[in-house]
Amino acid sequence: DPHLVESGGGSVQAGGSLSLSCTSSYSWDIPCMAWFRQTSGKEREGVAAVHSDGTISIADSVRGRFAVSRDKFQNTLNLRMNNLEPEDTAKYICAGVLYTRVCTIASAQFESKDAYWGQGTQVTVSS
């Protein structure tokens, strides 16, 4: 099974930047990889998703501030977060879905048995 490991979280002041990475040692292509975020008492929110064909889906709340990229040959997913706001404070969780051609942050594939999740990394933005 794909084992996803996130890194790069931390604390930053509003307006600052952070970069997150998600890596997997899975030997085969993970077609869809994505970042979600979650805070206590709120539903999990999709941030950005990238298919191995290069198709990108990104949330309106972060569009223009966050950039997502992946190295499909190494199953690595990166998230560059600029101009961070206190509202971006959350645990950021990496997800991957096998056997799918659909890869959007609203995809039901993330609820399927073919979806795998990392443990998450905390991002805290202070005002």
Side-chain angles (χ1 to χ4, degrees):
D1 293 346
H3 179 60
L4 304 171
V5 179
E6 302 95 339
S7 62
S11 298
V12 65
Q13 290 189 325
S17 299
L18 282 174
S19 293
L20 305 182
S21 290
C22 172
T23 59
S24 174
S25 60
Y26 192 61
S27 300
W28 291 276
D29 177 46
I30 302 174
C32 180
M33 297 184 74
W35 287 103
F36 286 77
R37 64 186 183 185
Q38 189 162 28
T39 57
S40 298
K42 292 186 178 181
E43 290 189 5
R44 189 174 59 204
E45 176 189 12
V47 176
V50 187
H51 195 277
S52 54
D53 67 4
T55 304
I56 292 176
S57 170
I58 194 162
D60 290 341
S61 59
V62 304
R63 191 184 307 275
R65 300 187 297 120
F66 290 11
V68 64
S69 62
R70 68 174 289 181
D71 180 340
K72 67 175 182 178
F73 298 106
Q74 297 188 12
N75 284 330
T76 299
L77 182 70
N78 302 303
L79 185 68
R80 176 65 178 176
M81 304 182 292
N82 297 318
N83 194 19
L84 282 159
E85 303 169 351
E87 293 74 21
D88 297 317
T89 295
K91 176 182 283 190
Y92 284 71
I93 309 166
C94 179
V97 183
L98 304 179
Y99 319 123
T100 182
R101 295 180 180 179
V102 178
C103 189
T104 72
I105 55 175
S107 173
Q109 274 75 3
F110 290 106
E111 306 301 329
S112 75
K113 62 178 178 60
D114 294 326
Y116 296 86
W117 297 83
Q119 294 298 308
T121 184
Q122 181 67 33
V123 171
T124 302
V125 185
S126 58
S127 58

